[in-house]
Amino acid sequence: MKRQMMAAIIGVFGALGAPENARAYDIDCAIMLCLAGGFPPSAVCAQAYRTMIRRITPWPSLPPFGVCTFAHVPVELGGPGGEGELDTNLPEYEWLNRTHVIWFTGRSYEPRDQPRQWDWTIRSCDRENRTCQYIQRVYGSHTPWPATFVSESGQEIAYPTSGGFLHFYSRSIMVEYGDFEGNMDHSEWFDY
């Protein structure tokens, strides 16, 4: 009976210690891993999703994620136990340098005694938010924004909304990223 009780106690303490090991990586690693899986339902991915959105929604935005360095992993869990700097200009980090935050703003309105008009802009910023450029900037169009646009990386991306007559204003943001093999992809649009 004592052995069974001791085994149960050890099992409980072992189970309670497991989440600490599961969180042994920094949040940038969690964002990248969860983003690749479409943010599957879990506590770690929910936190990673919230952190990524918190970084990219203010203006100026912060990078959606950095390099997964395991820099914050304590030594007792096998990590370096401190802050680590990494040279992302090396060729093996080119995928990270293709990350862009894409901002969309669009509105529909009816000027006095004129037909309905649409304005929209698509702006792309690098992952450090140092360099931003307009991909499209249209004012006073008599037709809604088109269905798709071409990003800096050559991807054809659908606009977040259709720009119909009942849609008056929209602000959205997305992340465009590349993997280590050079394949480009993007997140969904997030309205804010």
Side-chain angles (χ1 to χ4, degrees), residues 44-192:
V44 172
C45 288
Q47 180 185 4
Y49 178 82
R50 284 190 306 270
T51 301
M52 183 183 80
I53 297 304
R54 184 175 39 81
R55 286 180 180 177
I56 64 175
T57 50
W59 182 257
S61 70
L62 300 171
F65 53 84
V67 177
C68 177
T69 63
F70 295 93
H72 302 288
V73 179
V75 174
E76 58 270 11
L77 295 176
E83 297 288 326
E85 288 295 323
L86 191 61
D87 182 9
T88 59
N89 293 323
L90 299 172
E92 56 263 29
Y93 295 107
E94 181 56 33
W95 61 270
L96 183 64
N97 297 325
R98 288 192 305 267
T99 301
H100 293 99
V101 177
I102 299 177
W103 302 80
F104 169 79
T105 304
R107 72 181 185 124
S108 173
Y109 57 97
E110 254 181 71
R112 187 176 208 161
D113 299 326
Q114 293 184 21
R116 180 165 292 282
Q117 294 181 15
W118 288 264
D119 298 341
W120 67 89
T121 60
I122 296 283
R123 190 166 67 200
S124 177
C125 299
D126 67 1
R127 69 180 182 87
E128 297 291 336
N129 201 44
R130 290 185 188 146
T131 306
C132 296
Q133 69 177 13
Y134 282 98
I135 296 174
Q136 287 187 353
R137 200 170 5 180
V138 177
Y139 300 105
S141 173
H142 293 289
T143 59
W145 47 84
T148 63
F149 69 95
V150 177
S151 71
E152 283 182 89
S153 300
Q155 289 194 90
E156 187 171 340
I157 299 174
Y159 278 90
T161 59
S162 66
F165 283 107
L166 299 176
H167 190 81
F168 299 107
Y169 184 76
S170 177
R171 285 189 334 170
S172 301
I173 189 168
M174 73 179 317
V175 179
E176 179 183 40
Y177 56 91
D179 66 14
F180 69 96
E181 294 176 332
N183 303 315
M184 295 303 296
D185 203 355
H186 55 84
S187 71
E188 63 185 82
W189 287 101
F190 302 101
D191 294 330
Y192 68 99

